[in-house]
Amino acid sequence: MEDSYPQLALDQQICLPLYAASRAVTRRYADLLGEVSLTYPQYLCLLALWEADGPLGVGDLGTLLHLDSGTLTPLLKRMESAGLVTRARDTVDERRVLISLTDGGWRLRDRVADVPARLVEGMGMSERDGRALRDLLDRLIAELER
Amino acid sequence: MEDSYPQLALDQQICLPLYAASRAVTRRYADLLGEVSLTYPQYLCLLALWEADGPLGVGDLGTLLHLDSGTLTPLLKRMESAGLVTRARDTVDERRVLISLTDGGWRLRDRVADVPARLVEGMGMSERDGRALRDLLDRLIAELER
DNA sequence: CTGAACTCTATTGCGCACAATCAAATCGGG
DNA sequence: CCCGATTTGATTGTGCGCAATAGAGTTCAG
């Protein structure tokens, strides 16, 4: 066996579990969100808009979700086609496009209210471990996005 | 403010940091791997092949990296075009396609040997926290893939 | 007032991810 | 030996992610 590159061993990498876990969670969300024809990033946009309780610019959503306009623009257009949001130029600053929830977008809130609980249930993780994980990840993000 | 759906608050979700951290790490890898024209999943394939020290089937790679053939087939064809691997039917079981490293694929090993160290450096995470994070993620993956 | 710098979104192009489907090869019970 | 079930990889179609670029709108120094 080759041990000349121990630092390249697959099970030494922290990146692979992070990458695999993220995709595994996304797949689980896809199962839960398929019932209401939402993808996981679309669901995240709705979370942000429900919480903001008012229009958000594309850039605001990008900041909240760490996504850029190249991802968000087509995603938001699909959500507009699905009747979940409207897109309108800000009359004050016409560079901005304001995303607002439609009634249909608001209505979905009830239908996904149980999703977080159902997800956590499938993760088999204690409250304490969950907090520890979120804490480590938040620190990692802060460090990497400097 | 709306507090009727506390479980839908963005900062309560564990999914978002996981998702954002994974993409942040991938972006960092893209910076490091761009020098040798590798993408992050391609780099993971190489890690697996270097370690196996012999041909792997597409399915073997899929198991190791938690990826399926729909992702791997075109990815491996691109790596074949780049002269890093060869793809050949297994003469014993002709359903299988064996992926082997070329000399060019082996040569990259030296050129990326410092990547893990450079990544960890930018993550600003102690050895202990790194182990704790990997441990939590491994348990999460095991639970979600049941 | 004006033009250069800056901000914000859209577009393009490429590379994943993955569900669904398919076809070829292999295996296994009868 | 044969046929149905299983395994394996390829294909197709949709939806992200993101770098690079473009272009309209805004700001601000001079």
Side-chain angles (χ1 to χ4, degrees):
Chain A
M1 284 301 116
E2 289 262 2
D3 261 10
S4 345
Y5 297 87
Q7 79 283 13
L8 293 180
L10 258 191
D11 61 5
Q12 287 301 310
Q13 309 293 317
I14 203 162
C15 55
L16 180 54
L18 182 57
Y19 174 63
S22 174
R23 286 183 295 106
V25 168
T26 299
R27 275 194 297 275
R28 181 60 56 96
Y29 269 108
D31 294 340
L32 299 175
L33 296 174
E35 303 171 7
V36 290
S37 299
L38 279 179
T39 65
Y40 174 56
Q42 289 171 11
Y43 165 77
L44 290 177
C45 286
L46 287 180
L47 289 187
L49 288 164
W50 287 327
E51 194 167 343
D53 199 16
L56 288 177
V58 174
D60 300 329
L61 278 170
T63 301
L64 288 168
L65 310 182
H66 308 263
L67 289 169
D68 74 4
S69 70
T71 299
L72 287 173
T73 294
L75 183 155
L76 292 168
K77 285 182 175 175
R78 281 186 289 273
M79 291 179 74
E80 186 182 32
S81 299
L84 301 176
V85 300
T86 58
R87 294 160 13 90
R89 288 279 165 193
D90 185 342
T91 53
V92 177
D93 182 346
E94 296 208 348
R95 292 170 305 180
R96 284 160 55 81
V97 169
L98 294 179
I99 310 301
S100 308
L101 287 163
T102 62
D103 288 350
W106 279 113
R107 271 196 297 275
L108 274 189
R109 206 182 198 188
D110 264 327
R111 300 188 58 189
V112 301
D114 63 340
V115 164
R118 290 169 70 189
L119 187 90
V120 167
E121 186 182 357
M123 292 190 4
M125 186 167 278
S126 70
E127 183 82 15
R128 216 178 93 265
D129 283 352
R131 232 191 323 272
L133 179 54
R134 195 165 61 225
D135 188 54
L136 285 166
L137 292 171
D138 283 337
R139 280 161 47 200
L140 180 56
I141 293 165
E143 196 65 32
L144 286 173
E145 294 194 344
R146 274 192 315 123
Chain B
M1 285 298 114
E2 289 261 5
D3 261 9
S4 345
Y5 296 88
Q7 79 280 13
L8 293 179
L10 257 190
D11 61 6
Q12 286 301 308
Q13 309 291 317
I14 204 162
C15 56
L16 180 55
L18 181 57
Y19 174 63
S22 174
R23 287 182 294 107
V25 168
T26 299
R27 275 194 299 274
R28 181 60 56 95
Y29 269 108
D31 293 341
L32 299 174
L33 296 173
E35 301 170 9
V36 289
S37 299
L38 279 178
T39 66
Y40 174 58
Q42 289 172 11
Y43 166 77
L44 290 177
C45 285
L46 288 179
L47 289 187
L49 288 164
W50 288 327
E51 193 166 345
D53 201 13
L56 288 178
V58 174
D60 300 330
L61 278 170
T63 300
L64 288 168
L65 309 182
H66 308 264
L67 289 169
D68 72 5
S69 71
T71 301
L72 287 172
T73 295
L75 184 155
L76 291 167
K77 285 182 176 174
R78 280 186 289 273
M79 291 179 73
E80 186 182 32
S81 299
L84 301 177
V85 301
T86 58
R87 294 163 9 95
R89 287 279 164 193
D90 185 341
T91 53
V92 177
D93 182 346
E94 295 208 349
R95 292 169 306 179
R96 285 162 54 81
V97 169
L98 295 178
I99 309 300
S100 308
L101 286 164
T102 62
D103 289 351
W106 279 113
R107 271 195 297 275
L108 274 189
R109 205 182 199 188
D110 264 326
R111 300 189 57 192
V112 301
D114 63 340
V115 164
R118 290 169 69 190
L119 188 89
V120 167
E121 185 182 358
M123 291 190 3
M125 186 166 279
S126 71
E127 182 80 17
R128 216 177 92 267
D129 283 351
R131 230 192 324 272
L133 179 55
R134 195 164 61 227
D135 188 53
L136 286 166
L137 293 172
D138 283 337
R139 281 162 45 202
L140 181 56
I141 292 166
E143 195 65 33
L144 286 174
E145 295 195 343
R146 275 194 313 125

